[in-house]
Amino acid sequence: MKYCYRHKLPVGSSNAELSRQNAIHVAGHAAAICLYNKQNKLPPIFFRISQYAEAYNNHGIYTAQIEDGCLIPTPPSTWEQATDGFSPDQKRDYERAFKADIINLLAGPLAEAKHVALRNGEKISPRAVILNALHYYGGCSDLNLAYDYLACFMGHHQSQHKTKQLFFSAFEFINAYPKWQAINALADYMLTAPKAYIDCEEAFTVLNTSTGLKPLLSFSKQSRTNSNQSRTLGYSRFQIPCHAK
């Protein structure tokens, strides 16, 4: 989930404003990975927020990105190939994980779009923001990856209606007040935490504190050490077999 940074500021924008947009974007992804997955009874998955050197680049603008965080790390070529040999229950679980990854990818640029709209005193609705417009909110790489997932998913379902459903679900997530409050709390924390990385447990703590939710399931030391191990751990809980690459 790599942010597409703009080195030229929009007219009338300050470094501080663009820094907050960037932080909101990354926090949107992180909140969705933590809270949307938990809300939908999906397994915890390793990720970390990489803030680079001192979090601010040479332009004085905050820069970060999410590392890992997808239940299905690589979009398969086809749905049939991905689910070959799966039981009906495993196919159903795989589809739920697949949808969640797409929603979590869209949550970042949608959160940034909402932040910009609110800052400008505008109202935002899922019908006011089209999918391709998310390119303007740092979402080019997010969208490219989401389209890779959708190419497989749409080949299975043969319907654009599913794309709209996933887009609306992502918007509904970031637009819910508790989730929006959590996204802003994490963005605040990121902007004031001058460190190279914020790991998933640290992000979980900030999000949970802001929403008053019960603590999420902690990762073992083994899963924190290696993201591939954490994915395997998550899949085994979710009963989704992993195909070898």
Side-chain angles (χ1 to χ4, degrees), residues 40-240:
N40 289 275
K41 299 181 179 179
L42 293 162
I45 185 72
F46 174 89
F47 72 92
R48 69 178 181 180
I49 300 169
S50 172
Q51 301 193 111
Y52 305 105
E54 294 182 352
Y56 289 84
N57 63 19
N58 293 333
H59 302 271
I61 299 169
Y62 175 85
T63 57
Q65 71 179 47
I66 295 282
E67 295 182 7
D68 299 310
C70 289
L71 291 160
I72 301 169
T74 305
S77 300
T78 66
W79 187 269
E80 290 71 22
Q81 178 189 22
T83 58
D84 182 43
F86 283 15
S87 70
D89 284 346
Q90 288 173 331
K91 286 183 179 180
R92 183 172 59 251
D93 283 347
Y94 191 85
E95 182 172 333
R96 289 176 57 223
F98 206 89
K99 290 178 179 179
D101 280 345
I102 296 171
I103 288 167
N104 296 347
L105 283 165
L106 297 177
L110 275 170
E112 183 177 344
K114 176 174 179 174
H115 170 76
V116 171
L118 292 176
R119 187 187 65 198
N120 296 338
E122 301 169 352
K123 292 183 178 181
I124 186 169
S125 73
R127 290 172 179 80
V129 181
I130 60 173
L131 189 61
N132 285 335
L134 297 183
H135 282 290
Y136 297 106
Y137 300 100
C140 51
S141 62
D142 295 330
L143 280 178
N144 289 339
L145 185 53
Y147 283 137
D148 286 343
Y149 279 87
L150 284 167
C152 170
F153 193 67
M154 298 310 295
H156 171 59
H157 287 277
Q158 300 295 324
S159 171
Q160 291 297 319
H161 180 62
K162 285 291 180 183
T163 305
K164 291 181 180 178
Q165 281 185 333
L166 296 172
F167 181 79
F168 287 161
S169 293
F171 182 88
E172 185 178 56
F173 172 83
I174 64 100
N175 201 44
Y177 179 75
K179 307 303 191 303
W180 184 242
Q181 190 177 31
I183 290 168
N184 277 275
L186 182 57
D188 288 339
Y189 182 81
M190 290 158 58
L191 289 167
T192 56
K195 55 174 69 176
Y197 301 103
I198 297 173
D199 68 27
C200 48
E201 289 186 334
E202 193 173 353
F204 285 168
T205 299
V206 175
L207 292 164
N208 287 334
T209 300
S210 69
T211 57
L213 294 173
K214 294 180 180 179
L216 293 169
L217 181 63
S218 295
F219 288 93
S220 67
K221 290 182 180 179
Q222 183 182 25
S223 66
R224 287 202 304 270
T225 301
N226 185 303
S227 62
N228 288 328
Q229 290 174 337
S230 68
R231 290 192 189 107
T232 303
L233 178 66
Y235 282 133
S236 64
R237 287 184 183 136
F238 205 36
Q239 297 185 336
I240 299 177

